Amino acid sequence: MTSTKERQRAAARARLEREMAERAAKARKRRQTQAIIGAGAALLLVVAGTVWLVASLGDDDTDATNTAAAGTSLCVWNEAPAEQRTPQTKDVGLPGTQQPNKGTQIMTIDTNLGPITAKLDLAKVPCTAASFTHLASKNFFDNTKCHRLVTEGLKVLQCGDPSATGKGYRETDGTGGPHYRFAEENLPTDERPPYPEGVIAMAKSSEPGSTGSQFFIVYGDSQLDPSYTVLGTITEGMDIVKKVGAAGHDNAFGESAGGGHPKLETVIKKLSMSEIQGG
């Protein structure tokens, strides 16, 4: 009898030990699972926080690049691929993308015949004015000839091609300019005539967004398609331009382009841009 009871007690103790061992094992497994879940949750929070931070910084960068600050305009400069550049193309770097759009600037074209000045309204031509300011700082226009004069139909003196190879008011392949182009501004679509005497405007190709460095001074009302940026108004030196116009041209460009080289040579000794006034 005693032997039987001892065996029963031993069996009960064994069952109890097994149950306790199983409970301990389950508790350990539960703790391990909870630790893994906790670590995963913490990692998820870290990842989420990192993604949020990167996204926030990315948004800031995007805003800084694609959104103009108050008092500025966003200017886009399109560089010509290397294979499309010609020997007449000059790489002079790019202006900044955010440019002031308040105030005025005075452009001074110091020629061998005397100074010609023009007033630019930055509210109308922020990017074109910025391009001229940039190019002037690189001496881009200095010691260059005004290469084209038209006296019939149009009355314009065209300048701004350092190579002096341009043949028309369009900046076509083979003419000189910077390695970038940009969009047209301040188009006189509601003006009659669109380009009256005293206006200074930008040359371009037939494609939109092809404005570069070439410009033309209108010395007699001209009926051009209003697709050329009106840069500003001549404030001094129209008598010089009219004098060049009166001297005529050599008809070098024929009927297809019109006009020719001015017989009275006109050299830009220096082109400069003033500080912004009233900005």
Side-chain angles (χ1 to χ4, degrees), residues 19-33:
E19 289 175 0
M20 292 179 66
E22 289 174 359
R23 290 174 184 174
K26 288 180 180 179
R28 284 195 302 272
K29 187 175 181 180
R30 187 165 54 250
R31 287 194 298 270
Q32 290 173 350
T33 301

Side-chain angles (χ1 to χ4, degrees), residues 211-222:
T211 297
S213 63
Q214 293 190 39
F215 61 91
F216 56 93
I217 301 172
V218 182
Y219 66 94
D221 293 356
S222 299

Side-chain angles (χ1 to χ4, degrees), residues 108 123 126 195 209 264:
T108 300
Y195 299 94
L264 182 57

